[in-house]
Amino acid sequence: MKLILKILLGLALLLTALALWVSIAYRPEPFPAGSESAARLRDGPYDVGRFDEVFVDRERPTQANGDFPGSPQRELPGSVWYPLGSDASNRPLLLFSHGFTSLRSNGRYLAEHLASYGYVVAAVNFPLTSAWAPGGALVEDVLAQPGDLSFLIDTLSAYDRISGHALSGKVDNSRVGVFGISLGGLTSTLAAYHPQLRDPRIGAAVSIAGPSNFFTPRFFTHADLPFLMLAGELDVIVPWASNAEPLPRKNPGARLVTVLGGSHTGFSHGSAYARMLKNTDAIGCASVTRFIEEDANARWAGLFGDASLGFDYTVPDELCRVDPLPRAINVLRQQMIARVVVRAFFDSVFSPDPNARAAARAYLDASIDRELDDVAVSGVPARGAGR
């Protein structure tokens, strides 16, 4: 027994030492001292509360999948982060969508930061695209996920009217934004623009490394709202050149912010624990290709609509085709950039202070590009922003 305890203690000490070494050896480069970027990276003035809940949409079914027989409802295990304080009322609502084979926790670093600045942020595990999907992750169920976001808007708006609830008086459903990583970025884009799936209550959208190569310019004519694409230059899962780079031409007025040296999985909270790797997309590719072995684009050919709605399914499959993987920047640095970019974008749309909206737009249009060598910005809003 003593020997086993000694072995366990030794392992615990080794793991602690390893964690300490990683935290010291793989610290991110800080933003320039005294810069606007450094100021924007700091947490906001609000303490942050959180509650977890399994949201259940009893009006919409979950399809059968593998050995999972399906369900007459959609269960959405979720977390909600919100600002604390008597003055934290009537706040914008933001919905985060996770990526394929991922979890809601991978948006935690963004949710906590946004909530500290007064946003109410909700995230759920989607029924069939999460890491714990019954029957195995099914990418085609992304078609149902915009409806999940609409259900959450309904539910959280109703909580605003319940006396004594954590969200009582906190949710302004006239200011709703969506954002997500990878397949969650696609979910957010569909919820914002798709002529049948979109929710007109959504006033701004961010796609973080979301697939968009099969969108044509026609797709973005179905709605007029501020849109931002945040992407990593070295993304091998959703390659930058075919997905992110064309966005400002397809959607005039959209912003594109590129993290130079950024990877795909570097935007996900959990990748911080593997930042000693050359490129954490190695983990992402192993997870995604486990469930998508054939032509990735063929999996959803025709799923969202035809050319008349703005889709072109003839684009080539580029999923995880790069070998060897290029060396990416520190994951924590990439997430620092994501924090300041995502909040500045939503501030530029939803802040009640016109000076704050203007300052956030100026930061995205010029300051961040000037201050951070690993950020490039293209696309200047011509419509929608700051309405």
Side-chain angles (χ1 to χ4, degrees):
M1 186 65 179
K2 289 184 178 181
L3 178 59
I4 293 175
L5 289 175
K6 287 182 179 180
I7 292 173
L8 292 175
L9 178 60
L11 287 173
L13 291 173
L14 179 62
L15 290 173
T16 301
L18 179 61
L20 181 62
W21 174 74
V22 169
S23 67
I24 295 174
Y26 291 91
R27 287 177 177 170
E29 179 186 353
F31 289 164
S35 66
E36 183 178 358
S37 297
R40 286 182 173 274
L41 184 62
R42 301 187 192 107
D43 285 338
Y46 291 100
D47 290 331
V48 175
R50 169 182 163 174
F51 68 86
D52 295 334
E53 179 176 337
V54 178
F55 300 97
V56 181
D57 185 350
R58 294 180 172 82
E59 302 299 320
R60 300 167 57 242
T62 304
Q63 66 179 297
N65 179 40
D67 58 4
F68 172 62
S71 169
Q73 60 192 24
R74 289 180 69 83
E75 294 188 6
L76 306 162
S79 300
V80 179
W81 295 262
Y82 57 94
L84 297 170
S86 58
D87 62 336
S89 60
N90 202 35
R91 297 294 169 157
L93 172 64
L94 304 180
L95 304 179
F96 171 80
S97 297
H98 65 72
F100 187 56
T101 70
S102 185
L103 295 167
R104 68 185 190 273
S105 58
N106 274 321
R108 191 181 80 189
Y109 74 100
L110 291 168
E112 291 175 342
H113 181 71
L114 288 160
S116 77
Y117 280 92
Y119 291 91
V120 175
V121 187
V124 297
N125 293 344
F126 293 113
L128 294 182
T129 65
S130 77
W132 312 128
L138 179 70
V139 71
E140 291 89 342
D141 200 55
V142 67
L143 187 67
Q145 291 178 181
D148 294 332
L149 298 185
S150 292
F151 168 72
L152 288 172
I153 296 172
D154 292 340
T155 302
L156 298 175
S157 296
Y159 287 171
D160 173 78
R161 300 186 294 272
I162 299 176
S163 178
H165 193 280
L167 295 186
S168 177
K170 289 189 182 295
V171 178
D172 179 2
N173 65 6
S174 70
R175 292 185 289 168
V176 177
V178 292
F179 67 114
I181 299 172
S182 191
L183 196 70
L186 173 58
T187 300
S188 301
T189 307
L190 293 171
Y193 287 100
H194 194 284
Q196 280 91 46
L197 304 177
R198 75 182 187 91
D199 191 314
R201 293 172 294 183
I202 293 171
V206 177
S207 176
I208 304 174
S212 62
N213 58 348
F214 49 80
F215 294 134
T216 69
R218 179 183 291 271
F219 173 78
F220 293 100
T221 65
H222 300 300
D224 181 8
L225 72 162
F227 182 82
L228 180 139
M229 169 69 80
L230 174 61
E233 175 198 20
L234 302 182
D235 190 326
V236 303
I237 298 177
V238 180
W240 178 88
S242 55
N243 290 274
E245 192 276 334
L247 233 296
R249 297 188 297 278
K250 292 181 178 181
N251 185 6
R255 280 186 178 89
L256 167 61
V257 178
T258 301
V259 181
L260 304 179
S263 64
H264 184 87
T265 52
F267 290 115
S268 294
H269 181 90
S271 63
Y273 302 107
R275 63 186 182 274
M276 72 291 295
L277 297 179
K278 175 183 176 182
N279 188 323
T280 55
D281 281 0
I283 299 174
C285 283
S287 179
V288 169
T289 56
R290 177 185 171 195
F291 297 101
I292 304 179
E293 297 178 354
E294 68 270 23
D295 187 321
N297 291 331
R299 291 287 296 268
W300 49 39
L303 184 66
F304 308 114
D306 58 22
S308 68
L309 298 184
F311 296 96
D312 176 9
Y313 302 103
T314 65
V315 292
D317 172 25
E318 302 173 293
L319 178 68
C320 297
R321 296 290 190 256
V322 177
D323 186 26
L325 294 180
R327 179 169 294 280
I329 65 171
N330 189 315
V331 164
L332 294 182
R333 172 77 178 194
Q334 187 166 336
Q335 293 177 9
M336 289 162 58
I337 295 168
R339 281 189 187 92
V340 297
V341 168
V342 172
R343 183 171 67 83
F345 173 75
F346 284 124
D347 284 353
S348 76
V349 181
F350 293 134
S351 175
D353 180 353
N355 292 325
R357 292 199 302 270
R361 288 195 296 270
Y363 176 69
L364 289 174
D365 291 342
S367 300
I368 189 172
D369 202 336
R370 183 176 62 249
E371 291 181 350
L372 305 181
D373 292 339
D374 44 7
V375 172
V377 179
S378 63
V380 177
R383 57 183 170 88
R387 293 181 300 175

